[in-house]
């Protein structure tokens, strides 16, 4: 019942602030600092057997809503915008999945492929190779099957980006250097053998800050990955390198997804945001070209029209061994989304 009231309050808050959010997003877009939201899902199935299982009806409702109102982009495009500026005045959203459940072949993946929704699918290799259900599902008395290697290959051939979710679904906060390197490297090579294509992105299992320590992030970079994803919530705000990508749960009710995707200022303010609170009343003349461009449907990067490019140097600290985003990029990192008091 408590959750019911919480969602009711969130719904009222969402509708009360929606117009202001849209206005704010338009202004951020003018200067290229509109946040990029990355969602992650796990398993789509009617049985709701685990807390990370989403009903297909709920998932399809979210996807239809996003198709209408957001720019759905690949992680590659998301990273490009983080580096060069995001000038879209619509929410920019990337869709990802973790673990690798065979059940996603029933409704979720066919829908995404049919509708051209870019998707990155992070797969835990050991479960796929051995056909072994995930330990975290056993706690709920469930044992949904992982994909087979053939299915993973088929997904890659259908345009789904395959990423690594480690060799075993392990906690990187617990491993020593050797095991960390093995989990990162072996999983990548096994997946590349499986799909005969490069695997360049990684998602940390569990994904809280303590499960993705700086040394593991550095090791991922040295293993050849171009991005790592966490799972403790937060927006990605340009300009930044975008090597560490923050993600929000998509498994939640629609209103939470809509609230996050349209940029909830409360979540954005949880850490030092780079975004201006007070937005200019009118477009400054020096940004007129960007404003006109941002309003066009085809938003290829405008040549030489990125006023924030110089700020990149502050994001890519030369003394930082992993070039982790600076505080300007660490926006709205908050605790695990399952922590009730922090949910938005
Ligand atoms: Zn996982």
């Amino acid at each position: 019942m408590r959750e019911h009231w919480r969602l009711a309050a969130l719904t009222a808050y969402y509708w009360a602030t929606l117009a202001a959010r849209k206005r704010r997003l338009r202004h951020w877009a003018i200067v290229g600092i509109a946040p990029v939201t990355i969602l992650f899902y796990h398993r789509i199935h009617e049985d709701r057997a685990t807390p990370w299982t989403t009903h297909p009806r709920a998932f399809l409702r979210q996807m239809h809503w996003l198709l209408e109102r957001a720019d759905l982009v690949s992680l590659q495009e998301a990273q490009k915008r983080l580096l060069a500026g995001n000038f879209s005045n619509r929410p920019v959203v990337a869709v990802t999945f973790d673990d690798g459940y065979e059940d996603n072949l029933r409704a979720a993946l066919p829908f995404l492929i049919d509708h051209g929704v870019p998707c990155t699918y992070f797969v835990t290799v050991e479960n796929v190779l051995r056909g072994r259900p995930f330990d975290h599902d056993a706690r709920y008395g469930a044992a949904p099957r992982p994909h087979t290697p053939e299915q993973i290959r088929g997904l890659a051939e259908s345009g789904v980006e395959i990423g690594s979710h480690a060799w075993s679904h392990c906690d990187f906060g617990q491993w020593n250097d050797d095991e960390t390197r093995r989990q990162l490297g072996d999983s990548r090579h096994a997946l590349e053998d499986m799909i005969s294509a490069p695997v360049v992105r990684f998602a940390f299992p569990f994904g809280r800050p303590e499960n993705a320590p700086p040394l593991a992030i550095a090791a991922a970079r040295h293993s050849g990955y171009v991005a790592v994803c966490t799972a403790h919530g937060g927006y990605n705000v340009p300009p930044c390198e975008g090597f560490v990508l923050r993600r929000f749960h998509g498994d939640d009710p629609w209103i939470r997804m809509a609230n996050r995707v349209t940029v909830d200022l409360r979540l954005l303010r949880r850490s030092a945001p780079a975004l201006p609170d007070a937005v200019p009343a009118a477009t400054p003349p020096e940004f007129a070209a960007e404003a006109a461009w941002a309003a066009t449907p085809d938003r290829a990067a405008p040549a030489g029209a990125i006023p924030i490019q110089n700020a990149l140097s502050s994001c890519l600290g030369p003394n930082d061994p992993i070039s982790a985003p600076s505080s300007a990029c660490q926006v709205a990192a908050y605790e695990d989304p399952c922590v009730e008091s922090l949910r938005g």
Side-chain angles (χ1 to χ4, degrees):
M1 186 51 85
R2 202 169 153 226
E3 173 71 354
H4 173 81
W5 286 112
R6 201 181 283 276
L7 290 178
L10 183 62
T11 304
Y13 169 73
Y14 171 76
W15 288 111
T17 56
L18 189 56
R21 292 168 192 236
K22 287 180 178 173
R23 213 165 39 241
R24 204 179 293 126
L25 193 56
R26 279 199 298 275
H27 285 286
W28 288 336
I30 290 169
V31 288
I33 57 171
V36 173
T37 308
I38 304 173
L39 299 174
F40 71 105
Y41 299 83
H42 294 89
R43 175 173 177 259
I44 312 298
H45 195 280
E46 296 86 349
D47 65 11
R48 303 294 313 270
T50 60
W52 40 88
T53 301
T54 304
H55 196 288
R57 221 175 19 240
F59 177 76
L60 295 180
R61 183 185 180 197
Q62 289 192 15
M63 289 302 120
H64 282 295
W65 189 90
L66 288 169
L67 278 166
E68 238 174 74
R69 295 169 179 80
D71 291 349
L72 286 162
V73 301
S74 64
L75 284 187
Q76 185 186 26
E77 174 65 20
Q79 284 185 278
K80 231 190 271 178
R81 295 192 190 206
L82 289 174
L83 197 60
N86 177 26
F87 296 88
S88 176
N89 54 15
R90 281 154 49 96
V92 170
V93 182
V95 173
T96 68
F97 277 77
D98 282 4
D99 297 352
Y101 290 101
E102 187 177 58
D103 291 321
N104 295 334
L105 287 172
R106 298 175 63 201
L109 289 164
F111 179 90
L112 297 178
I113 292 167
D114 288 351
H115 289 77
V117 177
C119 170
T120 301
Y121 210 74
F122 292 105
V123 176
T124 303
V125 175
E126 188 178 43
N127 298 77
V128 167
L129 288 180
R130 298 190 178 167
R132 206 180 71 197
F134 294 92
D135 292 343
H136 47 259
D137 292 325
R139 293 204 305 271
Y140 291 85
R145 282 203 308 269
H147 287 287
T148 65
E150 293 71 31
Q151 289 168 347
I152 296 297
R153 194 176 309 125
L155 287 174
E157 287 166 0
S158 302
V160 174
E161 180 190 13
I162 302 299
S164 169
H165 198 41
W167 179 266
S168 58
H169 198 278
C170 61
D171 176 2
F172 277 74
Q174 306 293 322
W175 292 126
N176 60 29
D177 287 357
D178 288 345
E179 184 61 19
T180 293
R181 273 194 285 274
R182 191 184 77 77
Q183 289 279 345
L184 290 162
D186 289 2
S187 64
R188 182 176 179 214
H189 296 139
L191 286 169
E192 288 180 339
D193 286 347
M194 208 180 285
I195 65 173
S196 304
V199 170
V200 294
R201 292 183 177 81
F202 180 84
F204 283 101
F206 308 106
R208 296 185 192 197
E210 63 268 29
N211 310 125
L215 277 176
I217 293 173
R221 188 190 287 279
H222 292 139
S223 299
Y225 291 101
V226 301
V228 295
C229 290
T230 61
H232 52 85
Y235 295 104
N236 304 282
V237 181
C240 66
E241 184 195 16
F243 183 76
V244 179
L245 297 170
R246 290 159 185 78
R247 299 184 298 170
F248 282 112
H249 259 294
D251 301 325
D252 289 319
W254 167 84
I255 184 61
R256 285 219 167 86
M257 187 277 302
N259 180 60
R260 290 164 177 162
V261 162
T262 52
V263 188
D264 183 342
L265 209 52
R266 300 173 310 166
L267 300 178
L268 197 57
R269 281 175 171 153
R270 290 202 192 283
S271 56
L275 303 180
D277 283 344
V279 293
T283 302
E286 61 268 35
F287 297 143
E290 285 79 5
W293 169 82
T296 59
D298 177 19
R299 297 185 185 86
I306 302 169
I308 53 175
Q309 195 74 317
N310 291 342
L312 273 177
S313 56
S314 68
C315 251
L316 304 174
N319 298 323
D320 183 345
I322 57 171
S323 288
S326 72
S327 60
C329 300
Q330 289 175 329
V331 174
Y334 65 107
E335 293 301 313
D336 184 272
C338 296
V339 178
E340 286 297 314
S341 63
L342 292 173
R343 298 191 86 151

